[in-house]
Amino acid sequence: MNVLFESFPLKKDSMTQTVNPSASTPSLLEISMVSKTFQTKGETYHALKNVNLKIDSGEFVTLIGHSGCGKSTLLSIAAGLISPTSGGIILEGKEIREPGPDRGVVFQGHALLPWLTVYENVALAVNAVFSAMSVAERKERVHHFLEMVGLKEASHKKPNEISGGMKQRVGIARALAMRPKILLLDEPFGALDALTRGHLQDEVLRIQQKFGQTVLMVTHDVEEAILLSDRIALMSKGPDATIEEIVPVSLSRPRNRLAVMELSCYQTVRKHIMEFLYER
């Protein structure tokens, strides 16, 4: 395996660095000076302060930090589910102000409609986004993405008839079937057992490699972040949480989890992130 890795010690990222700084094309997603405050019991809580990050097309970037540092809040702002108090997020030249089909969101909870089948849950999103397609084309699209995540044989089942891992795969299929410009993953594997989580991580690796899908993910799992990511954004503790450092993960793709874990550079990145989390 050909592996490249930027030498340590790592220096604090400028927060506007891209994988290829010499490239003239603009970033797909730009988070600029985003701050967010909440009113709780008459007091103001400053969750995020001046968060900056640029993500290029095809990049897989992960946010990692302690519980309560605002990772999911930032992802919700990117999804258009909540608004920033100041600053903003630009996706392909347009400011994000509300949810839209250009962003596919997968939450830790599968968020499936229990009265619909697996097929119908995915079809609901496809029909909403691709209403101009013929019925046959939309049907083919649903089946294509269900087959991609290994759920073709379960398409007629309802959520209560399938496992937790299968439900998450339905959520991933639904998000990908919308052909989003960016996939937003909020701890999508956090509630799963270790074996199922590993299988789904491998599935995401395969899909990201095949389609060059741009991904912004939130996780608490350091090993997961290293395995999947091109860059890992380390967030400080709240209140006033921000991105303190960005760690490059220059492991060649495709990635094999067992082979990657044996590499010295993998261990170096892991040690650096763990020290960050424990010492700050």
Side-chain angles (χ1 to χ4, degrees):
M1 180 182 291
N2 178 30
V3 179
L4 300 176
F5 185 72
E6 297 187 17
S7 59
F8 276 76
L10 289 173
K11 294 183 179 180
K12 198 169 186 178
D13 197 288
S14 65
M15 309 307 175
T16 59
Q17 178 182 330
T18 63
V19 168
N20 181 9
S22 63
S24 58
T25 55
S27 299
L28 178 72
L29 184 84
E30 181 175 356
I31 300 171
S32 180
M33 299 295 288
V34 166
S35 297
K36 180 63 179 179
T37 60
F38 294 97
Q39 296 297 322
T40 57
K41 297 181 180 179
E43 297 182 356
T44 301
Y45 179 76
H46 298 267
L48 298 170
K49 183 177 181 181
N50 297 339
V51 178
N52 297 280
L53 178 66
K54 289 186 178 182
I55 301 176
D56 284 344
S57 180
E59 258 198 298
F60 197 121
V61 177
T62 296
L63 301 170
I64 198 166
H66 294 279
S67 295
C69 72
K71 303 183 299 298
S72 293
T73 297
L74 184 60
L75 204 75
S76 294
I77 295 173
L81 299 174
I82 61 175
S83 300
T85 303
S86 61
I89 301 181
I90 304 296
L91 177 60
E92 220 174 41
K94 296 182 180 179
E95 185 175 3
I96 293 173
R97 296 182 180 274
E98 59 186 3
D102 51 3
R103 283 145 287 146
V105 186
V106 180
F107 297 103
Q108 183 171 341
H110 52 79
L112 302 180
L113 298 178
W115 58 88
L116 298 181
T117 65
V118 166
Y119 174 89
E120 290 167 341
N121 267 281
V122 178
L124 189 67
V126 170
N127 292 336
V129 175
F130 299 104
S131 57
M133 281 185 176
S134 69
V135 173
E137 287 174 322
R138 280 179 273 158
K139 184 177 180 179
E140 182 181 359
R141 186 173 188 86
V142 174
H143 282 303
H144 170 76
F145 283 94
L146 285 175
E147 186 171 9
M148 182 191 302
V149 298
L151 290 174
K152 183 179 179 180
E153 301 302 320
S155 63
H156 64 286
K157 295 184 177 181
K158 292 186 177 180
N160 66 347
E161 299 176 302
I162 59 177
S163 68
M166 293 171 76
K167 291 173 186 175
Q168 284 302 84
R169 278 189 276 164
V170 177
I172 292 171
R174 180 177 57 189
L176 289 172
M178 294 166 61
R179 198 168 60 193
K181 294 173 183 175
I182 187 167
L183 191 61
L184 304 173
L185 305 178
D186 191 359
E187 297 192 63
F189 317 123
L192 305 177
D193 63 87
L195 185 60
T196 303
R197 183 165 63 246
H199 285 320
L200 280 181
Q201 288 168 351
D202 291 340
E203 190 68 28
V204 169
L205 273 175
R206 185 184 67 81
I207 292 169
Q208 204 274 340
Q209 177 71 23
K210 182 176 181 179
F211 294 97
Q213 177 70 56
T214 309
V215 182
L216 176 61
M217 182 177 76
V218 164
T219 186
H220 285 97
D221 190 324
V222 175
E223 288 78 13
E224 177 176 88
I226 300 171
L227 176 67
L228 298 177
S229 307
D230 297 304
R231 292 187 296 154
I232 302 171
L234 306 181
M235 296 192 67
S236 62
K237 294 180 181 179
D240 291 330
T242 192
I243 294 175
E244 284 201 3
E245 185 177 337
I246 297 180
V247 179
V249 184
S250 300
L251 299 170
S252 61
R253 295 181 184 272
R255 294 176 182 173
N256 177 288
R257 69 172 58 246
L258 296 179
V260 164
M261 291 175 68
E262 296 297 322
L263 297 171
S264 60
C265 56
Y266 174 93
Q267 298 300 332
T268 304
V269 176
R270 184 181 183 281
K271 181 175 183 292
H272 181 80
I273 295 174
M274 295 301 290
E275 287 175 348
F276 175 92
L277 294 174
Y278 277 104
E279 294 174 4
R280 304 188 194 184

